[in-house]
Amino acid sequence: MAETAQRSGRSNVLTSYDPRTGEVVGNYAVMGTGELNRTVRAARSAEKWWAELGFSGRKRWLLDWKRSIARRAGELVEILCEETGKPEADAAIEVMLAVENLDWAARNAARVLDRRRLGSTWLTRNQRASVGYLPLGVVGVLGPWNNPVFTPMGSIAYAMAAGNTVVFKPNELTTGVGVWLAESWSRLAPNQPVLQVVTGDHGTDAALCRTKVDKIAYAGSDAGAREVISLCGQTMTPVVVERNGKGAMIVHVDAKLDDAAEAAVFGAMANAGQNANGIQRAYVASSVYEHFLELVADQARRLRPGADKRASYGPMILESQVDVVRKQVRDALTRGGRAVVGGLESIREPYIEPIVLADVPEESVAITGEGIGPVLIVNKVANVDEAVQRINAVGNGVAVSVFTRDVHGAEAFAEQLRVGVVTVNSSTAYAGIPALPIGGVGEYGQGHHHGDQGLREFSRTLAIARKRYQAPVNLSTFDRHRRDLRVAKAIFRVRHRRMG
């Protein structure tokens, strides 16, 4: 792969390349602090107009924007293919999922965020209480390189539906898709900078964190997440984080092994293993372990990376990630793991052929590190309890897929897993459910994307209580009557001392 981004002296030019060919895809400005501040001020200028449209007004605008993206989706797919090297089918699916999230956010914002009445107790029947959710203001979105349309749209669409304006900084490797999205909004509303893009490198990310926007939404690596949290901490800017690192799979003794193997291979290898909702490792019951491994190996051997339309997946988008995969595979083999399909020889930059490893020690960096690459680890466990213990010990609290015929039992023990999402008899399909909230546990995520929680993530709560009439029993005064306190105590005893 050619250099993914370069600075020409102090010309402040960012050049992005096709990872398949090294050809130049586009040149973009590396924006400085002054340009970022002007962009945020423009977002502030549109903030009042956008918020005052209300849910119904914003819904109309967002659905118009959705239709505009859908009509020109071919353009976006083409840019996505050029900047990531993804096969056209993968790029098209990503765009479709992004549009589905935009549609869902637009249609559900009023239901989730509009003001609603709350109940009261016998002590406060004279009060009318309600709660509603208001926009934060300006939201900064820092996009990733692996799914540069779908992932940031999980913040952009929900933030806009909640009434915020958005400043979007795409990853430097995929600047073109960010520019296209912002321009698609600008064509619709040229005088209302509700969505703007800022372009640049890593320094631009840091500068956006310092501009005192009202929230930052970040998706990316562990190291990047820590840096963003640290930078935003200096200005007390809240952060919602979606971190890289794939999840795990549990294969029970009664699982449909063909289905489980298919899901494991797809979850591990799709998008060259660069999906944060994918599968890093599978824990398989010992009695079905060898058969499952054979099925996985057979499917993995059929896959072929490349740049043509028949390729199963494309190249590694981030050049440095190739070395990370190499380090993880080498460590797994050195510690006693065995290569079932491929190995170190499978790494032929910018492509990595499918790698399936077995019996990898849990302390290997192939398990403890971020699993970004077409690598699947298959380890044997005695039972489901051991699988749960191993998953919780690693702490990659993203998602776990459970394959079993005992669906109700799987849902019951799902609560034992310290993860944000548990799927039963499927792997990555949950990402296509806009109503399903996605969030990690512990270090693997702060806040949520998608669903009702995703809308509230970009809102502030405003509770209102209004006195309607004088309370029959008034305890909120220094001049209260003794009779009021006696009545209150009597009611209290009746309500809370009886059984039931």
Side-chain angles (χ1 to χ4, degrees):
M1 184 190 297
E3 287 187 13
T4 52
Q6 67 180 30
R7 298 280 290 274
S8 178
R10 291 302 300 168
S11 64
N12 290 340
V13 173
L14 173 75
T15 303
S16 63
Y17 301 86
D18 187 326
R20 300 166 297 187
T21 64
E23 295 178 354
V24 173
V25 174
N27 293 299
Y28 307 94
V30 177
M31 294 186 177
T33 302
E35 292 168 293
L36 259 69
N37 287 333
R38 285 192 291 273
T39 302
V40 172
R41 283 198 297 271
R44 295 280 182 209
S45 72
E47 180 184 329
K48 187 171 184 291
W49 171 78
W50 185 241
E52 289 183 348
L53 282 176
F55 294 111
S56 60
R58 291 194 295 270
K59 176 181 175 181
R60 287 192 294 272
W61 276 97
L62 290 172
L63 292 181
D64 283 347
W65 185 36
K66 177 204 73 168
R67 285 186 281 270
S68 176
I69 294 173
R71 282 193 295 268
R72 304 179 62 187
E75 298 175 17
L76 183 55
V77 167
E78 183 178 355
I79 297 172
L80 185 55
C81 290
E82 290 176 344
E83 291 197 318
T84 66
K86 292 185 179 187
E88 183 181 353
D90 288 359
I93 291 170
E94 180 176 344
V95 170
M96 287 189 285
L97 291 175
V99 170
E100 288 293 337
N101 271 278
L102 174 56
D103 181 81
W104 190 92
R107 295 182 187 278
N108 286 274
R111 175 186 61 79
V112 176
L113 304 177
D114 206 0
R115 183 159 295 279
R116 67 178 186 274
R117 237 180 116 171
L118 302 174
S120 60
T121 72
W122 63 277
L123 282 170
T124 55
R125 284 181 180 172
N126 67 320
Q127 300 279 338
R128 174 165 289 171
S130 65
V131 64
Y133 300 87
L134 302 179
L136 295 171
V138 178
V139 172
V141 176
L142 301 175
W145 47 265
N146 50 348
N147 286 301
V149 178
F150 169 66
T151 299
M153 188 61 84
S155 296
I156 294 170
Y158 291 76
M160 291 174 68
N164 304 281
T165 57
V166 173
V167 176
F168 177 33
K169 162 58 176 67
N171 187 275
E172 62 192 72
L173 304 185
T174 54
T175 302
V177 295
V179 170
W180 191 95
L181 285 172
E183 288 180 347
S184 69
W185 172 265
S186 183
R187 284 191 295 269
L188 195 66
N191 299 317
Q192 298 295 347
V194 175
L195 171 63
Q196 300 173 89
V197 68
V198 291
T199 60
D201 53 17
H202 178 75
T204 313
D205 292 1
L208 181 58
C209 291
R210 296 189 186 102
T211 57
K212 296 184 179 180
V213 293
D214 297 291
K215 193 162 197 172
I216 288 285
Y218 168 83
S221 68
D222 280 9
R226 293 176 190 276
E227 183 176 2
V228 166
I229 292 169
S230 176
L231 287 168
C232 290
Q234 298 171 20
T235 55
M236 299 298 287
T237 302
V239 183
V240 55
V241 172
E242 181 180 352
R243 292 166 69 175
N244 287 337
K246 294 182 287 188
M249 174 183 286
I250 298 174
V251 182
H252 198 36
V253 291
D254 65 347
K256 294 181 179 179
L257 295 185
D258 288 337
D259 292 350
E262 180 182 37
V265 172
F266 183 82
M269 312 295 177
N271 193 25
Q274 298 168 112
N275 287 334
N277 65 333
I279 302 296
Q280 179 184 15
R281 58 205 191 279
Y283 294 106
V284 185
S286 56
S287 61
V288 297
Y289 179 76
E290 293 299 335
H291 187 198
F292 178 81
L293 196 56
E294 290 174 5
L295 293 170
V296 163
D298 181 61
Q299 293 205 25
R301 291 190 184 101
R302 302 177 193 170
L303 305 181
R304 182 181 59 82
D308 58 276
K309 291 184 177 181
R310 294 185 178 181
S312 306
Y313 56 81
M316 300 302 291
I317 303 167
L318 180 62
E319 186 176 12
S320 61
Q321 190 61 40
V322 175
D323 289 332
V324 174
V325 174
R326 184 181 286 113
K327 176 183 176 182
Q328 291 181 351
V329 173
R330 181 181 291 119
D331 184 71
L333 297 175
T334 300
R335 291 178 181 271
R338 57 190 175 98
V340 178
V341 176
L344 290 172
E345 70 280 3
S346 303
I347 302 173
R348 301 186 179 95
E349 300 179 40
Y351 299 100
I352 300 178
E353 294 180 356
I355 299 174
V356 178
L357 305 176
D359 304 324
V360 176
E362 294 294 304
E363 64 272 15
S364 170
V365 293
I367 288 179
T368 61
E370 289 181 305
I372 304 296
V375 180
L376 174 63
I377 295 169
V378 184
N379 278 351
K380 185 188 304 182
V381 291
N383 49 46
V384 168
D385 290 338
E386 183 183 349
V388 170
Q389 183 180 12
R390 291 196 187 190
I391 291 169
N392 289 344
V394 173
N396 294 5
V398 184
V400 170
S401 299
V402 181
F403 275 77
T404 176
R405 296 175 196 265
D406 183 8
V407 175
H408 298 296
E411 292 179 352
F413 87 81
E415 296 182 3
Q416 301 175 31
L417 292 160
R418 285 189 52 77
V419 295
V421 178
V422 174
T423 67
V424 181
N425 294 330
S426 70
S427 58
T428 61
Y430 74 88
I433 308 173
L436 187 75
I438 299 174
V441 174
E443 291 190 353
Y444 261 75
Q446 296 187 15
H448 287 83
H449 295 82
H450 303 180
D452 293 5
Q453 288 90 331
L455 286 166
R456 293 195 183 107
E457 195 68 56
F458 299 102
S459 308
R460 65 181 179 90
T461 304
L462 178 61
I464 297 176
R466 175 170 60 87
K467 179 180 176 181
R468 296 188 296 155
Y469 54 84
Q470 187 66 35
V473 178
N474 187 11
L475 303 180
S476 301
T477 174
F478 287 113
D479 294 328
R480 57 179 170 255
H481 296 291
R482 291 182 180 179
R483 179 189 61 82
D484 287 353
L485 186 56
R486 287 197 304 271
V487 171
K489 286 181 176 180
I491 296 174
F492 177 82
R493 285 193 297 269
V494 170
R495 282 177 52 80
H496 297 295
R497 290 188 182 182
R498 64 188 178 188
M499 297 293 291

